[in-house]
Amino acid sequence: MASVLFRGIQTRPFLLYPSALLSRKNGVLFCTTKCSQSQTATQENQQTQMKVSPRTHTKKVEKILHDYEAIIGIETHVQLDTLTKAFCSCAYLYGSQPNTNVCPICMGLPGTLPVLNSKVIEFAVKVGLALNCNLSMNSKFDRKQYFYPDLPKGYQISQFDIPIATGGFIELDLPTEYGGGHRKFGITRVHMEEDAGKLLHSGNGSYSQVDLNRAGVPLLEIVSEPDIRSGLEAAEYAAEIQRLVRYLGVSNGNMQEGSLRCDVNVSVRPIGQLEYGTKVEIKNMNSFSAMNRAIDFEISRQVDLYSKGEDNQIIQETRLWEEGAQRTVTMRKKEGLADYRYFPEPDLPEVVLSEEYVDNIRASLLELPEVKRRRYERMGLSMQDVLFLTNDMNVADFFDATIERGAEVKMAANWIMSDIAAYLNNEKLSINEIKLTPQELAELISSIKGGTISGKIGKEILFELISNGGTVKALIEEKDLVQIVDPAEIEKMVDKVLIENPKQLQQYRGGKTKLQGFFAGQVMKLSKGKANPGLLNKILLEKLNAKG
Amino acid sequence: MSTRVSFVMGVSSLLQRRCLWSSQWRVRNYSVRSAPLPPDLPLLAETARISLTPKEVEEFTPKIQQVINWFGQLQAVDLQSIEPALRADTEGDNLRNDVPETFENREAMLSAVPSFEEPYIKVPKVLNKE
């Protein structure tokens, strides 16, 4: 019976939340960044989710879960939106023909030397500040050495023991449909590194294929403290990181494109136990909801083993999330831990930050999601509204601009969350692409508030304004939409309608009071929708009951 | 008394584990002064993906030991009160502006690839990292 709506528009599944299972009465979240995923894939995902949830936790497991707590940490890799790669001047354009955005440096050819892109430092500092970290005014790069076909140099330039930022935190609010709640998660570190190329395995063959377009693209690795306790918290953490990097303009944060990747570490322990349980890494989650489901599955798997006294079967390993089967499975077992033989990158100088440089960047930061949420809360908006409006920075800016021009807060929120959001969803547009301006929305709201036009007329004008632009004043004039509030005029119309419908009038007086709606509709039609509904019904009722 | 001790031990081991949780990076400790370990040549060769015959292992081990010992002379320096330098250079930064440039001779690079199957570089199937 419950209609299942996405908490996000159909074509932008990177906003897929576990909340797809619950209905939302009004509004859908939307985002300005374009996504290329098709409608059907999204619907498929939705169906998978609907099938899965009842199966994930049996009653037995549910009961046991209460005796255990999960300890979860997340490592996120964010691809930075710089024009060039980290250590060479190659452009990076997602979707380019393979091996076209390459040069001797990112291909790791002999004799080449890396030169750091200054934008990478700027973005790293932005993220470090936004995550409330301590910045290392002096940091360095290291070589992380291993052999793999997508790693041309045989090492990845990264930061090992002196990352650019450490010891921060991130705050978020859980969605209201899941009980809400505020969370604060620690951030262990943020560091700069380069991405590897792409490795494709040909289905049957004895060979694989490498595309080096992505090799050398700058990444920020963000490591959280193990403060996360559930799949839901993990999904929201990842969503907040995405929100943050989009607000900062450092990345488009698209999981589908691979610009945001999360690896999760999960362990469980009986509540009260001090020692951590064995940690298991999970890879291959391609959406926030997949993260949620994968983690919840893994927690159940581990708790189940604990409850049977078989917790020694939980080994430190990497498991893959299988989206089709909705379970985690062992990757091929590795022998021993990898030895990356880190040593300082001799070809790159120290990264030195000056106080002035950092202060400048700090001053240039726009209002971040957490601050915005608290500000909207203080304005009196409900948490549901707050979360909706702040999810996309462009929507928040539109809302701010509208209320700056005098529009009433709740009304502005409602218009944006319902009618405007619905339009954007249908037309697959972002709020920046519609012709409606915040100025005109404010004008519309005050016209309705002041009684010039009715709410219903307002909705019609809105549609016109969104698709064709123009001003409220001009439309009202042009289409003669001013509300009729003169009682005498309305009386005249009511009289006319009553005279023209004697049969229904008789029926009404005979007891069929529901016909009031019919008469009201006729008067509305006669007035071309301009009669003030309140006045109309008051006068209509008087007249209908008068001669009775 | 013992419960207090075990509590403190528990807490400190908890803190230790929290530090080790996130990654394998450790705080640099330069106060350790011990003789360098003898090289495990088979392991070294494996990590460097170089194949050695048993004879070569025997031959190279003392030579590599000598190189390590030569560097090992640095152990004699007392570093207790010295702040570790991040790097040895004094030149300052060397940064590049974020301006794209296309490399002109892509064809030459790709034609030098031993096994190229347009548009991909063909490599043996490798499933495991390290």
Side-chain angles (χ1 to χ4, degrees):
Chain A
M1 171 64 189
S3 63
V4 179
L5 292 172
F6 267 128
R7 193 183 182 214
I9 32 186
Q10 309 285 352
T11 55
R12 288 157 208 205
F14 44 67
L15 280 182
L16 267 175
Y17 276 65
S19 54
L21 289 167
L22 303 181
S23 67
R24 276 186 66 94
K25 293 228 185 71
N26 60 332
V28 284
L29 277 179
F30 49 100
C31 177
T32 48
T33 322
K34 299 237 185 288
C35 173
S36 50
Q37 188 141 350
S38 68
Q39 177 91 357
T40 32
T42 310
Q43 286 169 334
E44 230 182 86
N45 203 341
Q46 184 182 12
Q47 278 154 17
T48 318
Q49 258 196 293
M50 285 173 70
K51 267 186 278 166
V52 165
S53 177
R55 259 196 302 167
T56 315
H57 295 315
T58 60
K59 272 222 154 32
K60 172 169 161 271
V61 175
E62 278 270 1
K63 193 165 170 299
I64 302 169
L65 279 173
H66 291 302
D67 299 328
Y68 294 84
E69 72 172 337
I71 311 287
I72 300 162
I74 300 183
E75 284 168 21
T76 308
H77 288 89
V78 179
Q79 228 171 47
L80 297 179
D81 232 355
T82 54
L83 295 173
T84 61
K85 294 186 178 182
F87 301 111
C88 65
S89 301
C90 288
Y92 174 66
L93 303 152
Y94 180 76
S96 299
Q97 268 290 94
N99 293 307
T100 50
N101 300 338
V102 291
C103 77
I105 298 172
C106 52
M107 282 191 79
L109 299 188
T112 56
L113 292 171
V115 182
L116 180 61
N117 179 348
S118 57
K119 254 295 186 272
V120 176
I121 302 179
E122 189 189 313
F123 284 6
V125 171
K126 274 192 169 160
V127 171
L129 290 173
L131 290 173
N132 308 287
C133 294
N134 300 315
L135 293 174
S136 303
M137 303 309 270
N138 295 67
S139 65
K140 65 170 172 72
F141 287 100
D142 300 284
R143 289 190 184 177
K144 178 177 178 180
Q145 299 173 93
Y146 63 96
F147 292 96
Y148 206 58
D150 64 3
L151 194 67
K153 296 192 292 293
Y155 58 87
Q156 177 197 29
I157 298 178
S158 178
Q159 293 187 295
F160 177 56
D161 54 343
I162 318 274
I164 194 164
T166 54
F169 61 88
I170 192 170
E171 297 186 67
L172 53 89
D173 295 288
L174 298 175
T176 48
E177 54 265 41
Y178 284 90
H182 191 77
R183 292 290 183 275
K184 184 172 171 179
F185 299 124
I187 300 285
T188 312
R189 53 184 279 154
V190 179
H191 71 252
M192 306 178 279
E193 61 183 24
E194 57 173 349
D195 210 344
K198 247 195 216 135
L199 186 61
L200 302 135
H201 299 293
S202 65
N204 48 0
S206 57
Y207 65 94
S208 298
Q209 295 163 316
V210 175
D211 168 18
L212 292 179
N213 279 348
R214 203 183 65 180
V217 168
L219 298 176
L220 280 184
E221 180 172 334
I222 302 171
V223 181
S224 81
E225 289 285 331
D227 294 342
I228 297 166
R229 294 284 170 267
S230 69
L232 173 70
E233 289 186 2
E236 291 302 320
Y237 167 88
E240 183 67 11
I241 297 277
Q242 183 190 66
R243 202 168 289 124
L244 195 68
V245 299
R246 286 178 176 172
Y247 261 66
L248 292 170
V250 303
S251 171
N252 65 25
N254 287 355
M255 276 189 100
Q256 274 62 21
E257 269 175 43
S259 1
L260 187 86
R261 299 172 230 156
C262 292
D263 295 327
V264 173
N265 289 293
V266 181
S267 74
V268 301
R269 66 180 174 193
I271 292 183
Q273 180 178 299
L274 274 179
E275 293 100 43
Y276 285 126
T278 309
K279 184 171 59 161
V280 174
E281 186 185 17
I282 308 175
K283 287 176 116 76
N284 196 39
M285 297 155 295
N286 296 322
S287 65
F288 300 138
S289 68
M291 280 177 69
N292 190 344
R293 283 175 277 123
I295 290 168
D296 282 347
F297 176 89
E298 183 59 22
I299 293 173
S300 292
R301 184 188 80 91
Q302 293 188 15
V303 164
D304 190 51
L305 288 171
Y306 258 94
S307 69
K308 296 198 285 219
E310 290 168 15
D311 50 289
N312 54 0
Q313 279 190 40
I314 304 171
I315 47 169
Q316 188 169 341
E317 59 167 339
T318 302
R319 296 175 73 89
L320 289 177
W321 170 249
E322 280 184 347
E323 188 63 35
Q326 292 288 300
R327 61 176 187 178
T328 61
V329 292
T330 313
M331 253 175 86
R332 211 150 300 197
K333 287 203 173 82
K334 293 182 285 196
E335 278 140 36
L337 286 170
D339 176 9
Y340 293 117
R341 290 149 279 139
Y342 288 98
F343 74 90
E345 171 56 73
D347 297 335
L348 289 170
E350 231 172 287
V351 177
V352 181
L353 306 174
S354 70
E355 290 288 352
E356 198 192 325
Y357 178 80
V358 173
D359 289 340
N360 279 339
I361 294 182
R362 190 182 287 116
S364 77
L365 291 181
L366 299 169
E367 189 182 42
L368 296 177
E370 175 60 18
V371 178
K372 213 185 272 292
R373 285 191 292 259
R374 305 284 74 85
R375 177 164 70 87
Y376 283 10
E377 248 189 332
R378 283 194 299 272
M379 282 199 280
L381 289 166
S382 73
M383 184 49 71
Q384 200 172 34
D385 294 352
V386 168
L387 292 181
F388 185 100
L389 292 169
T390 57
N391 187 56
D392 175 350
M393 189 166 76
N394 295 293
V395 171
D397 287 347
F398 194 98
F399 171 74
D400 280 335
T402 306
I403 56 177
E404 249 164 59
R405 284 160 176 80
E408 199 257 343
V409 165
K410 188 60 184 166
M411 290 194 77
N414 284 344
W415 281 109
I416 292 175
M417 288 170 62
S418 54
D419 295 74
I420 298 178
Y423 181 87
L424 294 175
N425 230 19
N426 278 339
E427 304 299 315
K428 305 184 201 334
L429 292 173
S430 80
I431 205 165
N432 292 344
E433 292 168 313
I434 57 173
K435 303 229 169 64
L436 174 70
T437 63
Q439 174 66 46
E440 289 310 314
L441 181 59
E443 184 63 40
L444 183 72
I445 290 171
S446 67
S447 300
I448 296 173
K449 203 146 183 261
T452 311
I453 51 171
S454 68
K456 193 152 170 285
I457 297 277
K459 280 197 185 232
E460 288 168 26
I461 298 185
L462 182 76
F463 187 81
E464 182 70 32
L465 290 170
I466 291 178
S467 37
N468 299 331
T471 63
V472 175
K473 285 205 156 66
L475 278 172
I476 290 178
E477 239 183 72
E478 194 186 301
K479 305 202 176 183
D480 182 29
L481 299 169
V482 179
Q483 204 169 206
I484 300 173
V485 293
D486 176 12
E489 241 194 279
I490 296 184
E491 264 194 62
K492 265 191 268 173
M493 288 192 280
V494 171
D495 286 335
K496 186 162 189 278
V497 163
L498 290 182
I499 289 171
E500 285 176 355
N501 297 282
K503 190 161 142 246
Q504 288 85 344
L505 185 56
Q506 207 177 22
Q507 287 178 317
Y508 179 88
R509 296 223 168 109
K512 242 183 162 189
T513 49
K514 278 204 171 171
L515 282 172
Q516 178 184 354
F518 164 76
F519 289 118
Q522 295 294 63
V523 176
M524 266 302 188
K525 215 162 91 179
L526 188 60
S527 72
K528 297 203 192 59
K530 292 188 288 183
N532 176 302
L535 254 179
L536 191 175
N537 275 300
K538 177 162 161 280
I539 295 174
L540 180 64
L541 216 52
E542 273 173 20
K543 295 226 174 236
L544 282 172
N545 296 330
K547 295 169 192 164
Chain B
M1 169 70 163
S2 62
T3 40
R4 214 137 138 250
V5 168
S6 59
F7 174 75
V8 168
M9 295 281 284
V11 169
S12 73
S13 85
L14 185 73
L15 289 172
Q16 270 186 322
R17 277 174 216 258
R18 268 187 82 96
C19 283
L20 289 174
W21 169 278
S22 48
S23 66
Q24 290 150 328
W25 55 293
R26 294 163 287 278
V27 174
R28 303 161 106 198
N29 185 349
Y30 292 101
S31 57
V32 173
R33 290 208 261 153
S34 53
L37 294 166
D40 179 346
L41 236 70
L43 180 64
L44 271 179
E46 173 62 34
T47 53
R49 298 294 193 273
I50 295 174
S51 45
L52 295 178
T53 64
K55 183 161 174 288
E56 283 168 328
V57 170
E58 213 185 298
E59 243 181 76
F60 293 173
T61 305
K63 294 186 182 184
I64 293 181
Q65 178 80 71
Q66 277 180 309
V67 174
I68 295 173
N69 287 342
W70 186 75
F71 279 104
Q73 293 175 98
L74 292 170
Q75 301 270 43
V77 182
D78 179 7
L79 295 170
Q80 288 277 16
S81 53
I82 311 286
E83 190 62 38
L86 289 189
R87 293 192 47 72
D89 51 45
T90 47
E91 265 174 39
D93 58 31
N94 180 27
L95 299 172
R96 179 176 52 83
N97 284 331
D98 193 25
V99 177
E101 275 173 31
T102 315
F103 181 70
E104 291 306 312
N105 209 351
R106 202 171 62 91
E107 297 74 32
M109 291 195 302
L110 297 182
S111 62
V113 172
S115 186
F116 192 72
E117 205 175 69
E118 182 84 33
Y120 294 106
I121 299 168
K122 196 169 161 186
V123 297
K125 195 155 192 164
V126 179
L127 291 169
N128 272 338
K129 286 191 185 189
E130 276 293 275

